[in-house]
Amino acid sequence: MAGTGGRAGATRQRVLEATLGLFNERGFGVTVAEIAAACGMREGNLHYHFRKKELLIATLYERFQEEELAVAEAALGDAAAAESYAEYQLGWFALMWRYRCFYRDAFNLQHRLPGLKGRFMEVQARASAAVARVMALATEHGFLAIPAGRITSFVTNVWIVSSYWMDYLHTSTASAGLTEQQMQWGFGQVMALFEPYLTPAGRAAFSPLAQRAAALVLREKEPGARG
Amino acid sequence: MAGTGGRAGATRQRVLEATLGLFNERGFGVTVAEIAAACGMREGNLHYHFRKKELLIATLYERFQEEELAVAEAALGDAAAAESYAEYQLGWFALMWRYRCFYRDAFNLQHRLPGLKGRFMEVQARASAAVARVMALATEHGFLAIPAGRITSFVTNVWIVSSYWMDYLHTSTASAGLTEQQMQWGFGQVMALFEPYLTPAGRAAFSPLAQRAAALVLREKEPGARG
């Protein structure tokens, strides 16, 4: 197996980023030849680092799940500051945009890598529990007003809308790609779940979120932002 | 082709109901031989009515979509009575339970019958618009308090949570089947979306809904309720 440190590590990293970019743009149907071309390397060389495409998908998925847990369990800067919750939410939007191939093609993924289910369930349970703790804190500090007994069902609905938004787009619109405008629409759908529970203080912190989320998406589109 | 009236029509109807029951219980993987056995007929006879399994799925899906539009566009008994909205919502729960195979295996279905997308989009657009009109009426009559500009995003979130609840269960729990308890949990998730928007009058009408939805599910389980 290829090493993970030094030059081989840097190459692996570069291949993974290029692959993620292609999957995000065109789905998991991208061929190994196309990935090698995007990395400016020969297929044989790519093969040395990743024996087959399924290994690229699985490695990226592992990273996605690590980052998902990091985002879910991130410590709030200051639990008494509304801005901390906006930052937290923005972390989720950034994660979803960065790994949008996994959201858009969730079923395809499960089909390709059925062995992932156990890990998926574990990550989902941990991440949901962490989000519920943050929502409880936001309520405690007066930014949200969700009755304690309703936090779990609220978090579950946020999870479902976030996770399936892209699939919903796929089935309900004719467009094949995923535009920034559609992502903003998705962000708006998630924020609509928060809307009735925001206190005036919470609303003041959350209302600029849509613009900031859009900026995240646009930043990546700048020349040179992706390898 | 087999006729649709008289004795052939009755047989077709019986086959479709038995097939729906099997799909609901065990998914689209059920074989034609198993369907024939459940109908107490020979495979050749079943073949005379439906040339292949895809035709059974497509015919049931067409019925599902017709019933979906009927539920979405049902006239309210009395737009000034809270009970009318509870009845309307109950109609959706009954539809989802009756055709749960299509909700649980939505992706599998698209994979099997890719030609359905156009019709799916058309039905979804019509049904969503009808639901939005009912929500506007409920707001107008003081049972819900959703700002006019937020009704569309609210209906979209209700649609996403309703449509993907069963898939969410599939991916987040180890259980393969779909129990009444899980369906009630799903009903609860949809009702949690309404919760912050219910006025006291609306709450009084909607709170017994979970019990009535559960009763719908249990009724079907009574001996002799399914052919």
Side-chain angles (χ1 to χ4, degrees), chain A:
Chain A
M1 240 190 106
T4 50
R7 198 162 144 187
T11 304
R12 264 178 75 91
Q13 180 62 25
R14 190 163 59 86
V15 168
L16 286 169
E17 284 299 321
T19 306
L20 181 58
L22 287 169
F23 285 165
N24 279 339
E25 267 169 39
R26 292 159 47 201
F28 300 129
V30 169
T31 66
V32 170
E34 289 169 317
I35 294 171
C39 299
M41 56 167 59
R42 282 207 298 254
E43 247 185 280
N45 192 12
L46 180 63
H47 184 85
Y48 166 78
H49 292 280
F50 295 95
R51 282 187 329 276
K52 54 180 186 164
K53 195 167 76 177
E54 256 54 35
L55 200 58
L56 278 162
I57 300 177
T59 308
L60 282 170
Y61 192 74
E62 248 170 61
R63 291 190 171 203
F64 164 54
Q65 295 215 298
E66 276 162 29
E67 291 183 34
E68 185 173 9
L69 280 176
V71 166
E73 295 174 346
L76 293 173
D78 173 6
E83 175 64 12
S84 304
Y85 302 96
E87 285 295 335
Y88 182 79
Q89 191 59 44
L90 210 59
W92 277 104
F93 289 164
L95 177 85
M96 288 173 65
W97 177 251
R98 175 161 160 74
Y99 289 103
R100 57 195 177 279
C101 56
F102 292 130
Y103 287 93
R104 199 174 40 195
D105 249 347
F107 184 94
N108 197 335
L109 185 73
Q110 282 177 39
H111 208 71
R112 278 174 177 278
L113 305 167
L116 290 179
K117 184 169 176 174
R119 174 74 177 145
F120 180 89
M121 281 169 54
E122 182 202 326
V123 169
Q124 185 172 43
R126 259 180 71 184
S128 292
V131 173
R133 283 194 298 274
V134 172
M135 296 301 132
L137 268 178
T139 296
E140 198 180 303
H141 287 280
F143 303 115
L144 280 180
I146 310 181
R150 301 202 169 273
I151 287 181
T152 303
S153 67
F154 174 74
V155 170
T156 300
N157 278 341
V158 169
W159 193 280
I160 294 175
V161 172
S162 306
S163 305
Y164 292 105
W165 165 252
M166 297 186 205
D167 189 87
Y168 170 80
L169 264 182
H170 248 214
T171 55
S172 62
T173 67
S175 97
L178 182 70
T179 66
E180 292 98 331
Q181 205 184 9
Q182 288 172 331
M183 275 304 283
Q184 286 176 46
W185 180 14
F187 297 156
Q189 287 300 134
V190 175
M191 292 321 297
L193 295 170
F194 283 83
E195 178 58 35
Y197 294 115
L198 287 173
T199 62
R203 193 177 314 268
F206 273 79
S207 18
L209 256 187
Q211 281 72 40
R212 293 180 60 195
L216 274 179
V217 169
L218 294 171
R219 193 182 311 153
E220 198 192 295
K221 293 277 162 173
E222 283 168 16
R226 186 156 62 215

Side-chain angles (χ1 to χ4, degrees), chain B residues 79-159:
Chain B
E83 176 65 12
S84 303
Y85 301 97
E87 285 296 334
Y88 182 80
Q89 191 59 44
L90 209 60
W92 276 104
F93 290 163
L95 176 84
M96 288 172 64
W97 177 251
R98 175 160 161 75
Y99 290 102
R100 57 197 177 279
C101 55
F102 292 130
Y103 287 93
R104 199 174 39 194
D105 249 346
F107 184 93
N108 197 336
L109 185 73
Q110 283 177 39
H111 208 71
R112 279 173 177 276
L113 303 168
L116 290 179
K117 184 171 176 172
R119 174 74 176 145
F120 180 89
M121 280 169 54
E122 182 203 326
V123 169
Q124 185 173 42
R126 259 180 71 184
S128 293
V131 173
R133 283 193 299 274
V134 172
M135 296 302 132
L137 269 178
T139 296
E140 197 181 301
H141 286 280
F143 303 115
L144 281 180
I146 310 182
R150 301 201 170 273
I151 288 182
T152 303
S153 67
F154 174 74
V155 170
T156 300
N157 278 340
V158 170
W159 193 280

Side-chain angles (χ1 to χ4, degrees), chain B residues 3-117:
Chain B
T4 50
R7 197 164 143 186
T11 304
R12 265 176 74 90
Q13 180 61 27
R14 190 163 59 88
V15 168
L16 286 170
E17 284 299 321
T19 306
L20 180 59
L22 287 170
F23 285 165
N24 279 340
E25 267 170 39
R26 292 161 46 202
F28 300 128
V30 169
T31 66
V32 170
E34 289 169 316
I35 295 170
C39 299
M41 56 167 59
R42 282 207 298 253
E43 246 185 282
N45 193 11
L46 180 63
H47 184 85
Y48 166 78
H49 293 280
F50 295 96
R51 284 188 327 278
K52 53 180 186 166
K53 196 168 75 177
E54 257 53 37
L55 200 58
L56 278 162
I57 299 177
T59 308
L60 282 170
Y61 191 74
E62 248 171 61
R63 292 191 172 203
F64 164 54
Q65 295 215 297
E66 276 162 28
E67 290 183 35
E68 184 173 10
L69 280 176
V71 166
E73 296 174 346
L76 293 173
D78 173 5
E83 176 65 12
S84 303
Y85 301 97
E87 285 296 334
Y88 182 80
Q89 191 59 44
L90 209 60
W92 276 104
F93 290 163
L95 176 84
M96 288 172 64
W97 177 251
R98 175 160 161 75
Y99 290 102
R100 57 197 177 279
C101 55
F102 292 130
Y103 287 93
R104 199 174 39 194
D105 249 346
F107 184 93
N108 197 336
L109 185 73
Q110 283 177 39
H111 208 71
R112 279 173 177 276
L113 303 168
L116 290 179
K117 184 171 176 172

